[in-house]
Amino acid sequence: MNELIIIGGGLAGSEAAWQAAKRGFSVRLFEMRPNKSTPAHQTSHLAEIVCSNSLGSLLLSRPSGLLITELQRLDSLLIKCALESQIPAGKALAVDRKSFSSAVQEHLQNMPNIEIVRKEVKKLPKSPAILASGPLTSAALAKSLSRFTRQDNLFFYDAVAPIVQADSINMNIAYWGSRYGKGAKSGGDYINCPFNMLAEYEHFVNELLLAEKVTLKDFEKDIHSGVRGGKGKFFEACLPIEVMAERGMKTLAFGPLRPVGLRNPHTDSRPQAVVQLRQDNQAATLFNLVGFQTNLTYAEQKRIFRLIPGLEQAEFVRFGQMHRNTYLYAPAILQPNLQSCINPNLFMAGQITGVEGYLANIATGMLAGINAARYLKDEPQLTLPPTSMLGALCTYITTPNPHSFQPMKANFNLLPPLENLVKNKEERFLALSNRGLQDLSAYLREQNEPETI
Ligand SMILES: Cc1cc2nc3c(=O)[nH]c(=O)nc-3n(C[C@H](O)[C@H](O)[C@H](O)COP(=O)(O)OP(=O)(O)OC[C@H]3O[C@@H](n4cnc5c(N)ncnc54)[C@H](O)[C@@H]3O)c2cc1C
């Protein structure tokens, strides 16, 4: 009973293995590479970083800085290795990918109670396990998962629309409303950004046509035939916005930007086209751009989407993207301690849980590793305070979200607001971080979980 199986030796699985092993448990870490690779990984190393080599800012006034500090407090192996493989990048924690993954692999190989098994796991085990097989989970395991989750709760593609901060939308231009006034709320459920003039709409479409796009990898090319964010089925209704624009100047104005039933109260007229923004979180601090799944580069999204009236100063907490991404509808499957509601022997971590970004994947691996060890020791589970960044992420992914459920990275909008208003943004972020760290320390003391710094 004291053995733990971990499926996937990526960022989450490697951190989870370290956390469980240093608590004295025997860990069998299954990694299918190099026998079977994913379309994105290039080496056989554990904890391979597949794309950007930056883990984000180290500043405590940034979401990534807070999460890095939380990880350090719980003795994260991967953050230790990242700091050892750090390369110059201003205030960001950028790493030499090869040194980083080699260091992680060496540490894990040197742990006498970790066995690294280079083999694909094809179905979920019955014995205690952590699932950390990532966004490119092998097909056989994904099939077993879809049986476990009853299919409807497993997504195969990420067709995510950009998300902006509500307080960065100019409501002197935008307005609340639902098409033909048919919303649940009296003022309307959507924030509407109107193109009042034909020329400004045409300028926007022309910029979309000229925009620089991300080059898709071979395994992602079928996404262009249209995709929805679930069940892996393709259909026309979810084409990238720039692909729709290619079909004709008026395609968007007759499609997702159709202005019908959305009269502009500022001008008392019907706009030429309207971009609708839908509430994205319970606190209504985040809104997503409806129908704006896209393959434009992040820089182009920022430039072009700020041409939308009302979004001139928009702050993006996430950009749109389309790539293969296997993840679960965690609210139906997971508890905030990352243990399955269906099978208590099973914990989950990493991208498969619906978190996004290297740090969030490492952090959920850390918590799953600690909680799986506590479960094996029959000790109480850790459910971290929602004021900490990791606690907030776990709360977010396990709370039913009637508006949308899409992968989420660390950001300050996930945290409950401060009791006292702090107007200066930098000071507010710092205050949020300090509160989170204090609450985390107090909670860990209560739970007899040692902190390293
Ligand atoms: C193309 C692409 C680009 C990305 N770019 C970025 C980026 O720039 N920044 C960012 O923050 N995030 C990026 N991501 C997301 C990135 O994948 C995650 O941040 C991170 O690697 C996920 O960590 P993880 O541990 O959940 O999964 P991974 O790190 O992918 O680890 C999962 C591991 O499980 C193994 N595995 C899968 N199935 C099985 C099985 N059946 N049996 C045994 N082993 C298995 C895989 O080989 C892999 O090693 C990108 C993802 C993709 C697909």
Side-chain angles (χ1 to χ4, degrees), residues 7-13 30-33 36 38 40-41 48 50-52 54 119-122 132-138 141 217 219-220 323-324 349-352 356-359 361:
I7 308 169
L11 296 182
F30 284 84
E31 170 51 60
M32 66 180 184
R33 290 176 292 121
K36 181 167 186 167
T38 78
H41 289 84
E48 180 182 334
V50 289
C51 196
S52 158
S54 173
K119 194 173 166 197
E120 179 188 5
V121 175
K122 295 193 175 169
S133 48
L136 303 170
T137 292
S138 73
L141 184 59
K217 296 192 187 329
F219 71 97
E220 293 170 325
H323 66 73
R324 187 177 146 202
Q351 194 104 355
I352 197 114
E356 185 170 281
Y358 297 145
L359 288 172
N361 290 308

Side-chain angles (χ1 to χ4, degrees), residues 252-364:
L252 291 174
F254 280 96
L257 274 61
R258 65 194 180 284
V260 293
L262 289 170
R263 209 168 174 79
N264 182 350
H266 298 308
T267 58
D268 197 22
S269 62
R270 195 177 98 163
Q272 301 291 330
V274 174
V275 175
Q276 291 204 291
L277 280 80
R278 186 191 294 126
Q279 186 177 329
D280 199 83
N281 63 345
Q282 301 285 13
T285 53
L286 301 176
F287 280 73
N288 63 66
L289 277 67
V290 179
F292 270 60
Q293 52 280 354
T294 177
N295 274 313
L296 299 194
T297 62
Y298 288 178
E300 288 287 76
Q301 289 187 44
K302 191 169 173 181
R303 183 179 71 81
I304 295 173
F305 298 161
R306 280 184 171 178
L307 296 174
I308 298 169
L311 299 188
E312 294 83 359
Q313 306 292 329
E315 292 289 341
F316 291 84
V317 298
R318 192 190 62 198
F319 288 103
Q321 51 175 289
M322 300 184 77
H323 66 73
R324 187 177 146 202
N325 187 8
T326 309
Y327 66 99
L328 299 155
Y329 180 65
I333 291 154
L334 274 187
Q335 305 173 60
N337 61 339
L338 302 179
Q339 185 176 29
S340 157
C341 325
I342 308 166
N343 170 7
N345 264 350
L346 185 63
F347 289 77
M348 297 185 188
Q351 194 104 355
I352 197 114
T353 65
V355 295
E356 185 170 281
Y358 297 145
L359 288 172
N361 290 308
I362 298 170
T364 48

